[in-house]
Amino acid sequence: QNYKAALVDEFQDTDNTQYQILTRLFTHKSGLLFMIGDPKQAIYSFRGADIFSYIQAARSAAAKFTLTENWRSKPNLITAVNTIFSNNRAPFIFQEIPYIPSRPARLAAAQPESLEPPLILWYLEAARFSPDANLIKKADAVRLIAAAVSAEISRLISDETPVAPADIAVLVRTNDQAQLIKN
């Protein structure tokens, strides 16, 4: 009764119960519900988020807006990411989560590019680590990937590069993987 509108930032972290409460409280005639979120992040189920609640919310939205100007990334990285995801009809599996290419903001485009490649894809060749050229045990793969990531971090924070440890984040799926990377 006191509030006629709600603005929910990071909506991709909303679960179905939260979504039902918000719609009940703010989608009547005199109410407004603004949902701001990234469906690609909802895939990860962070804090119990539910991708299907996000898809339902997107379907029911009266209007949708997408930010396509990227202020954070360098133009070459934006081009690399656009190239990877634009070449797949459903890169995030669900048709309701399309990939919408972005473009660099004018100020970002004016910054000098690094000589380093903007994006590097790594492949773990099972044949190098397993007698069966097509298989590698998951535990072995995780250990090998952690070692490769560690070596790359060491290279990046060496005196030869302008990267500080605080500039680096490693995303993992489990606490065990986080501990392995930390070690």
Side-chain angles (χ1 to χ4, degrees):
Q1 290 175 342
N2 290 336
Y3 302 99
K4 302 297 181 205
L7 185 145
V8 183
D9 196 9
E10 303 292 342
F11 186 81
Q12 73 273 357
D13 298 337
T14 303
D15 65 29
N16 190 51
T17 302
Q18 293 167 328
Y19 174 60
Q20 295 303 323
I21 291 168
L22 291 166
T23 56
R24 188 173 207 180
L25 291 174
F26 296 105
T27 59
H28 49 79
K29 269 192 216 177
S30 62
L32 290 170
L33 176 60
F34 294 95
M35 299 171 283
I36 302 167
D38 183 349
K40 294 176 292 304
Q41 292 182 36
I43 292 169
Y44 299 111
S45 300
F46 183 67
R47 295 185 183 162
D50 176 36
I51 185 65
F52 302 107
S53 295
Y54 190 96
I55 290 170
Q56 182 182 359
R59 282 185 192 140
S60 67
K64 298 176 199 164
F65 302 93
T66 299
L67 299 176
T68 57
E69 193 173 36
N70 186 319
W71 288 82
R72 295 180 178 176
S73 302
K74 302 244 177 163
N76 283 347
L77 179 59
I78 294 168
T79 299
V81 170
N82 284 342
T83 301
I84 290 171
F85 288 104
S86 294
N87 287 314
N88 187 325
R89 290 180 194 219
F92 306 107
I93 300 173
F94 301 102
Q95 294 295 329
E96 295 91 342
I97 306 175
Y99 179 75
I100 300 170
S102 63
R103 65 183 184 285
R106 271 184 264 134
L107 294 177
Q111 295 175 0
E113 288 288 342
S114 168
L115 296 177
E116 292 278 328
L119 180 67
I120 300 170
L121 298 177
W122 290 358
Y123 294 92
L124 182 62
E125 295 180 46
R128 289 182 51 206
F129 306 103
S130 171
D132 181 346
N134 295 319
L135 298 175
I136 186 169
K137 292 179 181 171
K138 182 178 177 180
D140 293 339
V142 169
R143 186 180 42 76
L144 291 166
I145 292 167
V149 169
S150 174
E152 180 65 6
I153 290 171
S154 294
R155 184 190 73 78
L156 288 171
I157 62 175
S158 71
D159 293 335
E160 300 165 11
T161 63
V163 178
D167 296 331
I168 298 171
V170 179
L171 303 179
V172 296
R173 296 185 71 171
T174 67
N175 288 337
D176 289 341
Q177 290 174 357
Q179 191 60 49
L180 184 60
I181 291 292
K182 182 179 176 184
N183 292 343

